[in-house]
Amino acid sequence: MSQFALFGQRRFAPFFWTQALAAFNDNAFRNALLVLVAFQLGLDDRAASIYTNFAPALFILPFFLFSASAGQLAERFEKTRIIRWVKLFEIAAMAVAAAGFITHHVTLLLLVLFMMGLHSTVFGPIKYAILPQALKPVELVGGNGLVEMGTQLAILLGMIAGTTSMGEAGPWLAAVITIGVAVVGYLACRAIPPAPATAPELKINWNPFGETARVLRITRADRAVWNAVLGISWFWFFGTVLIAQLPIYTRETLGGDNTVYTLVLTLFSIGSGLGALACEKLSGRRVEIGLVPLGAFGLTVFGVDLYFARHGLAPVRGLNWLGFLHAPGSWRVVLDLTLIGAFAGLYVVPLFAFVQARAPREKLSRIIAGNNIMNAVLIVAAAGFGLGLGALGLDAVQIFLAAALLNVLVATYIFTLVPEFILRFVTWVLTNTLYRVRADGLQHIPEEGPALLVCNHVSYVDPLLLMANLRRPTRFVMYYRIFNVPLLRFLFRTARAIPIAGQKEDPAVLQQAWDAIDAALADGELVCIFPEGALTRDGVIAPFRPGLERILARRPVPVLPMALRGLWGSMWSRRDSALHRARLPRRFRARVELVVDAPLPPARVTAASLEARVRELRGEMA
């Protein structure tokens, strides 16, 4: 089922429109306020600058003060009830905004700006924590992609509506639009199905400072989740730097007017939406963090190219969007801006899905709140970064270049701390380059808790194929000599594979393997073994060795039979291994299937019965 089919599902569609309308209204109000202050109040440049620079700080202040409390509320109470109260609060805020627009009461409008920051602060933890409750695991990436796409387009349309509504009709039109959208958003939220509290016994701590510290500790408890949060916050830093410089970049470097600025925003938003939507297809409907390094790479490449595409002062000023598109070299700028947006979508959507899938359900809202706090910190840092480089004399395109190069350092730091990101990227690239894989039965993989995965062994890259398709990190039991192969050594050590040897080869390594397997299962991890003990030499499944019975006798856990189909005769199988042939192997980009069966209770499992079941799963397709 395509991700777009979610628009026909009540468990998704009302929430999608609720959050999209909220993003629209937020940006419509803020841009209407900026137009009023900058162009219609007759303020001098210094006074207008104070207002326009103070406004973002006022909007972001609630994220520092109330994110921790918002995370607790989203855990403690049923989420749709909170959403309805938040939307009623938005209607009230827009009514106050209408009075401010009509009377040109800037102080009143700044109060509304703070209220809308509070609105976003409370809605944020619910926005991302409700998706895992409403969607199936295979829908999580697609759902996040749709939400990101909808948010980006709503932000763009809201900015355009807020700017144009303050024209001849002025305050009255802005008031009607913002109140009307708030009312429609409330009606949409009434259709969201109930989302039960995930921690109904949670005791609310109303101390914002103490609870902020506790939320950040919860967020940091899982290193992979924490670094995903840092990655999301870095995305906000990068995006804030980019968006903040776009008006000056449009005027000084591109020589364009406000229509070119609208075009630039449109390109970035459309690119982000397309990248977000592409995540489901590229990930195979899995939470695939291997896309994150690809997104980071694209942000740097096209951020750097944006500098070389056009820098320095524009020779001609005041171009409209058509004039800009006809100017030499403009299509390279168009491509760069669109692809920066696309790779931003590829970068951030898997990170959100990863946090949602990996974080404990009863703590997810608080972790999202911790993420929002870190986002706020990085947004403030981005503002200081842009202002600081501007004070040093750098122009907008040079600031783009600095952010793109800094992205290399930050991404490298994050991926070094959590090699799982790079590991997933490498396995995703390798397996999608060499094979076309179809996976069936992945829903049988338990979301948490230990299990022993058992699979036939056909090729040298079987573990990589499994790594790229299993939703949870898995410890593979591998022949110890494979750790001497340079590339494979990096991959399997990074994946914390367990080396094993035969009793006659190295009894000490064998005993260490039994202990490591037992410890991994005791810690609630997945462990995958290949009971044949070696690659098949003729495409036929060899008898399973009794070692798996020893594992289960020591640690009884559910057993999941799996089978790889279609690998025999493909690249890296013994029949046509690239290790032994200089020519291009047969069946390059072979169609391969992974079949996962329902878990079996350990008391019913023997080596012989499991071998028979894996043979059935594989069928005739060797």
Side-chain angles (χ1 to χ4, degrees):
M1 181 178 71
S2 166
Q3 64 201 101
F4 294 104
L6 290 173
F7 283 129
Q9 304 288 321
R10 185 187 166 202
R11 57 195 169 92
F12 178 79
F15 167 75
F16 173 87
W17 292 113
T18 298
Q19 65 84 29
L21 289 167
F24 175 95
N25 225 20
D26 178 32
N27 285 273
F29 165 73
R30 282 195 282 169
N31 278 272
L33 171 59
L34 290 175
V35 169
L36 178 68
V37 171
F39 300 106
Q40 298 185 4
L41 294 183
L43 301 175
D44 58 39
D45 289 345
R46 186 162 179 262
S49 177
I50 291 173
Y51 276 116
T52 55
N53 284 286
F54 179 63
L58 195 60
F59 179 81
I60 207 167
L61 181 60
F63 286 90
F64 289 106
L65 297 177
F66 304 117
S67 284
S69 299
Q72 293 180 93
L73 292 174
E75 308 279 21
R76 175 69 176 78
F77 298 105
E78 196 273 321
K79 293 180 177 60
T80 55
R81 190 196 311 176
I82 303 175
I83 292 175
R84 291 174 186 177
W85 282 107
V86 167
K87 300 309 291 181
L88 288 172
F89 179 82
E90 181 186 351
I91 294 173
M94 291 302 102
V96 177
F101 282 134
I102 293 168
T103 62
H104 285 189
H105 199 304
V106 176
T107 302
L108 199 60
L109 291 171
L110 291 177
L111 172 63
V112 175
L113 188 63
F114 181 85
M115 294 172 68
M116 290 305 293
L118 180 59
H119 165 277
S120 298
T121 300
V122 176
F123 188 59
I126 301 172
K127 174 180 176 180
Y128 289 104
I130 201 172
L131 285 177
Q133 291 183 258
L135 303 180
K136 301 172 185 176
V138 295
E139 297 171 332
L140 199 54
V141 173
N144 274 282
L146 291 173
V147 168
E148 181 65 21
M149 177 272 296
T151 301
Q152 289 295 330
L153 294 182
I155 289 172
L156 174 66
L157 295 175
M159 293 174 70
I160 294 172
T163 302
T164 56
S165 67
M166 295 298 287
E168 293 182 6
W172 286 99
L173 181 57
V176 169
I177 289 175
T178 51
I179 293 177
V181 170
V183 171
V184 173
Y186 173 74
L187 295 176
C189 85
R190 299 280 305 178
I192 301 175
T198 53
E201 304 302 321
L202 180 68
K203 185 177 180 180
I204 303 293
N205 175 16
W206 295 106
N207 182 335
F209 304 105
E211 186 59 26
T212 294
R214 186 158 75 104
V215 161
L216 291 176
R217 283 197 300 270
I218 292 172
T219 309
R220 295 186 63 171
D222 185 310
R223 195 169 99 172
V225 169
W226 171 245
N227 283 282
V229 165
L230 292 181
I232 294 169
S233 297
W234 171 251
F235 166 79
W236 280 97
F237 179 97
F238 189 91
T240 300
V241 171
L242 183 71
I243 296 298
Q245 304 304 318
L246 283 181
I248 300 173
Y249 173 72
T250 301
R251 184 178 68 248
E252 303 294 334
T253 305
L254 302 183
D257 62 8
N258 64 313
T259 64
V260 177
Y261 176 60
T262 301
L263 174 65
V264 166
L265 289 174
T266 303
L267 293 171
F268 182 75
S269 298
I270 290 175
S272 297
L274 293 175
L277 294 177
C279 287
E280 185 188 53
K281 178 68 174 177
L282 292 175
S283 67
R285 306 187 74 192
R286 297 182 302 275
V287 177
E288 181 52 80
I289 58 174
L291 294 177
V292 178
L294 178 64
F297 175 77
L299 288 176
T300 290
V301 168
F302 294 101
V304 170
D305 192 67
L306 189 63
Y307 170 80
F308 289 104
R310 184 81 63 85
H311 57 269
L313 294 176
V316 180
R317 299 291 183 90
L319 293 172
N320 63 17
W321 68 276
L322 276 175
F324 163 71
L325 291 178
H326 285 94
S330 294
W331 284 100
R332 183 175 172 184
V333 174
V334 167
L335 182 65
D336 283 337
L337 288 168
T338 305
L339 289 177
I340 287 172
F343 280 99
L346 290 178
Y347 177 87
V348 76
V349 168
L351 285 175
F352 273 122
F354 177 79
V355 171
Q356 292 164 337
R358 181 71 68 89
R361 188 65 56 87
E362 71 278 5
K363 297 180 180 178
L364 177 57
S365 293
R366 282 174 286 173
I367 289 173
I368 296 297
N371 179 46
N372 287 342
I373 294 169
M374 294 305 301
N375 289 349
V377 171
L378 268 290
I379 288 172
V380 172
F385 178 82
L387 290 173
L389 293 185
L392 292 175
L394 275 66
D395 60 20
V397 75
Q398 290 170 328
I399 294 174
F400 290 160
L401 178 64
L405 296 176
L406 186 59
N407 182 61
V408 177
L409 300 178
V410 173
T412 302
Y413 173 72
I414 293 174
F415 301 148
T416 301
L417 289 178
V418 185
E420 185 180 347
F421 286 84
I422 290 295
L423 175 67
R424 296 289 299 186
F425 173 66
V426 172
T427 57
W428 180 79
V429 170
L430 286 177
T431 56
N432 284 278
T433 300
L434 303 179
Y435 299 98
R436 289 170 289 176
V437 185
R438 177 180 176 272
D440 186 30
L442 292 178
Q443 71 275 11
H444 295 309
I445 304 292
E447 293 295 327
E448 56 185 18
L452 184 67
L453 312 182
V454 176
C455 191
N456 59 317
H457 204 5
V458 189
S459 76
Y460 294 101
V461 296
D462 289 354
L464 301 183
L465 285 169
L466 296 177
M467 268 186 228
N469 286 276
L470 299 176
R471 288 197 298 266
R472 279 180 61 189
T474 303
R475 303 283 299 277
F476 289 88
V477 181
M478 305 294 302
Y479 183 51
Y480 75 112
R481 292 190 185 277
I482 205 166
F483 287 83
N484 296 325
V485 180
L487 177 60
L488 297 181
R489 177 174 57 201
F490 163 76
L491 291 175
F492 293 128
R493 286 193 187 281
T494 302
R496 298 167 60 230
I498 299 171
I500 195 169
Q503 177 68 37
K504 295 181 180 179
E505 278 187 289
D506 197 325
V509 171
L510 179 60
Q511 185 57 48
Q512 290 169 6
W514 297 136
D515 294 340
I517 292 169
D518 186 68
L521 294 173
D523 288 340
E525 296 184 275
L526 299 180
V527 175
C528 181
I529 62 172
F530 301 97
E532 294 167 90
L535 296 183
T536 177
R537 295 180 177 275
D538 54 9
V540 177
I541 295 177
F544 281 13
R545 298 183 180 182
L548 67 92
E549 296 175 1
R550 177 173 177 175
I551 294 170
L552 295 174
R554 186 173 175 181
R555 183 73 56 180
V557 297
V559 181
L560 277 79
M562 305 191 303
L564 287 166
R565 299 173 174 174
L567 268 173
W568 178 247
S570 69
M571 190 174 190
W572 304 100
S573 68
R574 282 191 181 276
R575 180 181 173 190
D576 199 3
S577 171
L579 294 177
H580 304 294
R581 297 175 183 268
R583 65 179 177 81
L584 185 68
R586 292 172 295 183
R587 299 193 62 221
F588 180 73
R589 293 280 295 158
R591 292 185 181 275
V592 176
E593 294 182 19
L594 167 65
V595 185
V596 183
D597 199 12
L600 301 173
R604 291 176 45 196
V605 171
T606 64
S609 66
L610 203 54
E611 176 193 332
R613 183 58 189 143
V614 172
R615 286 179 182 273
E616 290 177 19
L617 291 175
R618 194 202 62 172
E620 299 299 322
M621 189 177 177

